[in-house]
Amino acid sequence: MFIISVPDLVIAQCKAGIVGSIPALNARPKELLRDWIDQIKDALTAHDAAHPESPAAPFAVNQIAHRSNERLGHDMQVIADAEVPIVIVSLAAPAEIFSAVHSYGGLVFNDVVSARHGRKCAEAGVDGLIAVCAGAGGHTGTQSPFALVSEIREFWDGPLGLGGAISTGRGIRAAQMLGADFAYIGTAFIASDEASAPAAYKDMVLGATAEDIVMSDRLTGVKANFLRPSLEAQGIDYKAASEEKSALKAFGEEGASAKAWRDVWSAGHGVGSIRQRIPAADLVDQMRREYEALSA
């Protein structure tokens, strides 16, 4: 999650047995990205040495493949040099990213919001697809998971994730019942101890329901879900549509550093299930128990 996911959160998630992910753009300035990746790798290596019976899950780095992301080339070089195990790409499917990651044996997963987008990624040689559906926090899709997963499965039998309002073990189980292999979860971790979210942001998430989430393209030119109170606090007219060129902020080293993400807070429709601040590992255990209770 932009701004929120930092090495401490990723490390805690991976140690708990799930893939933790960090957006490359979270590391500011860009030179910090290599230090963060090294920190994650060192911590997970130490964990595996101390706990060979329960090795950590691999980690991932998210890349926004958008023309306004002037850091893309730099960040991909860092990722390739560090041989990051999984790279999750959003908004496009550039062949150069696929070739760079595949050159060292890494995997590329692509966020997709439509079957058409999924087909393009599949044809480009992606290793896995992630269906981002209605209700997802941050950049979101608008299609029902019932429709999108079904359409993707008509042409794709590889790894498929599902994102959008999944905050519990029940949600994970439901994603698999629909035909996905795994769940793509963000909002549930905003209030976790390791998340780099301001206390006021965590409090807002804990007190919110799905009715407090609004979708707007006013901040980046791409549809995204935000907490209404945070938009109102900044005086942003989120009801007014905008074209990409007139978005308040874009992606990049400077582009997303002010109102677009620091002062306006994103979340998904799953906020209603988040009611306590706990360590990420405890949240994973809670989801695991809920999931196993349904799978028994």
Side-chain angles (χ1 to χ4, degrees):
M1 295 171 286
F2 200 80
I3 300 301
I4 297 166
S5 295
V6 291
D8 284 348
L9 178 57
V10 172
I11 292 167
Q13 291 168 327
C14 292
K15 286 183 177 180
I18 66 172
V19 175
S21 183
I22 186 170
L25 289 175
N26 278 11
R28 294 167 183 268
K30 61 186 178 182
E31 289 76 20
L32 187 60
L33 180 59
R34 183 56 196 251
D35 293 339
W36 278 13
I37 292 175
D38 287 344
Q39 180 182 345
I40 293 169
K41 292 177 69 174
D42 290 347
L44 299 186
T45 298
H47 170 84
D48 289 353
H51 305 280
E53 74 288 352
S54 56
F59 72 99
V61 173
N62 292 73
Q63 278 282 47
I64 294 181
H66 189 273
R67 62 178 176 274
S68 66
N69 181 8
E70 72 276 3
R71 284 182 45 170
L72 186 59
H74 169 274
D75 291 349
M76 276 310 306
Q77 186 61 57
V78 171
I79 286 169
D81 289 345
E83 299 189 351
V84 171
I86 303 170
V87 176
I88 302 172
V89 185
S90 302
L91 302 184
E96 57 269 27
I97 290 182
F98 287 46
S99 60
V101 178
H102 289 160
S103 69
Y104 62 81
L107 300 176
V108 180
F109 285 68
N110 242 101
D111 288 351
V112 299
V113 297
S114 68
R116 179 182 60 84
H117 188 191
R119 286 184 183 276
K120 288 185 176 181
C121 294
E123 292 169 359
V126 73
D127 298 295
L129 297 175
I130 302 172
V132 181
C133 296
H139 292 125
T140 184
T142 57
Q143 293 186 15
S144 162
F146 291 92
L148 185 53
V149 171
S150 178
E151 290 186 10
I152 289 175
R153 279 305 187 200
E154 291 182 1
F155 63 86
W156 178 256
D157 60 2
L160 175 61
L162 175 60
I166 302 174
S167 298
T168 66
R170 296 186 301 276
I172 298 170
R173 180 62 172 161
Q176 292 181 325
M177 292 295 288
L178 285 178
D181 297 300
F182 61 92
Y184 195 42
I185 302 173
T187 299
F189 287 96
I190 294 175
S192 64
D193 290 349
E194 297 87 353
S196 181
Y201 188 174
K202 294 185 179 184
D203 288 342
M204 191 176 291
V205 166
L206 294 176
T209 67
E211 292 183 354
D212 296 306
I213 305 301
V214 296
M215 185 170 65
S216 176
D217 65 354
R218 284 286 294 157
L219 281 83
T220 66
V222 181
K223 289 183 176 65
N225 279 323
F226 300 95
L227 287 156
R228 180 189 289 107
S230 70
L231 289 166
E232 294 175 342
Q234 296 302 318
I236 296 174
D237 182 7
Y238 56 85
K239 296 180 181 178
S242 69
E243 295 182 359
E244 184 174 352
K245 64 182 179 182
S246 62
L248 298 181
K249 291 292 177 181
F251 308 103
E253 186 68 22
E254 300 299 333
S257 63
K259 282 186 178 180
W261 297 108
R262 186 195 66 200
D263 303 319
V264 176
W265 300 329
S266 63
H269 288 179
V271 290
S273 299
I274 306 165
R275 289 294 177 259
Q276 57 182 333
R277 294 192 192 185
I278 56 176
D282 290 352
L283 178 56
V284 174
D285 285 341
Q286 176 180 305
M287 291 181 180
R288 183 180 290 114
R289 291 194 302 272
E290 293 168 344
Y291 178 91
E292 291 176 348
L294 294 172
S295 305

